[in-house]
Amino acid sequence: MTGQEIMFIILALIAICCASLVIVLKRISHRVLSMAFCSFAIAGLYFLLRAEFLGIIQIMVYVGGLTVLFVFAVMMTDHRTTTFVPERSKVFKFVSFIGVGSLLSIMLIGILGMDLPAGTEPFIGTAEAIGLELYGNYVIAFLGVGILLLAALIGAIVIARKEADEQ
Amino acid sequence: MELDLYFSNYTYVIIFVLFGVALPVVSLTFGRLLRPKNPYDDKLSTYESGIKPTGEAQIRFHVAYYIVAIEFIIFDIETVFLYPWAVSLGQLGWVGLNAMLIFILILALGLGYSWKKRVLEWN
């Protein structure tokens, strides 16, 4: 086994364990911390795939930004009085199990069916290579991202202002 | 091989990560082993700048903080898109410049909306 494979297994295990802990842990702050560690492990996987720029972005946006957003959401909500979700019925559990299982199988079929070329060139994931692809071939998708961000911003303002008025 | 060089360079990163994980674990464990353990109520109470703590720590903050956090994330992502654009602009030419101008314009609409809706104001 090569060093890369060992690193992949370690990082994948950390990511899976932290993702499961997000569900298992009781305190919300512990869950947020576990999610941050999961994002860190996924950033490590990006570095392993030679996508250095994506890895740094993963740390910057997910570990730095989204975790702060979750902490803010925890600070904003009142979770002393509210208890955790009540026990669901057996039918609900069964239906959700089937839903998650079919989603997993669809994704597995998609991933296993992909025919990816084995890249051997070292600098496929630099910022320059990403920029040439993103603003050259995929410029429409890039502008679509802009519209998506605009929709997210306006939606957040509309919902949060409604909340503020109710308080 | 350049590829081997890429991965061998990350050996230093792994060493740094291991040091970063080991430092708090080792120092806290040694601290626990070395220090005398003598807890009493005053010592265990929450430190609040020297005065006696009043009220609870888990208060609800105003939702305005959340909008600022979301705006931070959105414009954080905008900055992220600027990096690969900046290093590849020389080869992209006018198409790349126009694409980024339209992108910034779209996000400026969002900023203008939040300005109009007075969410940037604090009172």
Side-chain angles (χ1 to χ4, degrees):
Chain A
M1 203 156 36
T2 61
Q4 292 172 45
E5 282 170 353
I6 295 170
M7 276 313 291
F8 171 77
I9 289 170
I10 292 172
L11 287 170
L13 277 179
I14 293 173
I16 291 172
C17 287
C18 288
S20 325
L21 280 177
V22 174
I23 305 168
V24 173
L25 286 173
K26 285 279 177 277
R27 279 176 181 271
I28 198 107
S29 46
H30 294 171
R31 291 176 167 196
V32 172
L33 190 65
S34 175
M35 203 187 67
F37 273 114
C38 181
S39 299
F40 248 126
I42 289 168
L45 289 179
Y46 285 147
F47 285 119
L48 212 57
L49 289 169
R50 284 166 289 144
E52 283 182 294
F53 183 70
L54 266 188
I56 291 165
I57 294 310
Q58 171 84 9
I59 292 175
M60 233 179 92
V61 173
Y62 279 81
V63 183
L66 269 185
T67 312
V68 171
L69 202 65
F70 271 87
V71 172
F72 266 119
V74 171
M75 280 158 62
M76 236 116 278
T77 47
D78 186 15
H79 43 90
R80 278 167 301 169
T81 49
T82 50
T83 49
F84 267 98
V85 257
E87 193 69 19
R88 306 277 191 189
S89 66
K90 278 228 167 75
V91 182
F92 187 89
K93 277 181 180 169
F94 185 69
V95 170
S96 55
F97 181 76
I98 291 201
V100 173
S102 49
L103 181 68
L104 181 69
S105 51
I106 288 169
M107 283 169 73
L108 271 182
I109 289 167
I111 291 167
L112 293 176
M114 270 200 297
D115 187 23
L116 292 173
T120 47
E121 65 266 50
F123 299 115
I124 50 169
T126 58
E128 194 176 3
I130 288 175
L132 285 177
E133 284 293 315
L134 191 61
Y135 308 111
N137 294 333
Y138 299 104
V139 69
I140 300 294
F142 166 64
L143 292 178
V145 168
I147 291 169
L148 193 69
L149 287 174
L150 179 68
L153 184 55
I154 292 177
I157 290 171
V158 168
I159 293 170
R161 277 181 62 86
K162 202 191 289 169
E163 294 274 314
D165 289 342
E166 280 168 10
Q167 274 179 22
Chain B
M1 271 282 283
E2 275 187 296
L3 203 58
D4 288 333
L5 187 68
Y6 173 86
F7 284 114
S8 61
N9 277 341
Y10 271 96
T11 320
Y12 301 110
V13 178
I14 294 171
I15 291 169
F16 266 95
V17 168
L18 288 181
F19 263 100
V21 173
L23 192 68
V25 172
V26 168
S27 58
L28 285 177
T29 318
F30 266 90
R32 173 164 294 192
L33 291 175
L34 291 175
R35 68 180 170 232
K37 194 167 185 295
N38 179 25
Y40 47 90
D41 276 351
D42 285 342
K43 202 192 259 180
L44 289 175
S45 70
T46 314
Y47 179 71
E48 203 173 304
S49 309
I51 57 169
K52 285 201 169 175
T54 50
E56 280 186 75
Q58 295 181 345
I59 54 164
R60 285 180 73 182
F61 286 79
H62 196 261
V63 80
Y65 292 98
Y66 193 65
I67 303 181
V68 173
I70 282 183
E71 296 215 1
F72 163 70
I73 299 276
I74 302 255
F75 292 105
D76 197 28
I77 293 169
E78 182 187 337
T79 325
V80 162
F81 276 111
L82 280 171
Y83 280 112
W85 174 78
V87 289
S88 62
L89 186 61
Q91 294 171 64
L92 286 166
W94 286 102
V95 182
L97 185 66
N98 287 334
M100 185 49 80
L101 280 179
I102 295 169
F103 180 71
I104 290 178
L105 206 71
I106 292 171
L107 284 181
L109 280 177
L111 188 64
Y113 178 80
S114 53
W115 195 341
K116 191 94 201 316
K117 287 284 173 183
R118 309 167 86 85
V119 291
L120 299 175
E121 286 173 27
W122 292 86
N123 39 31

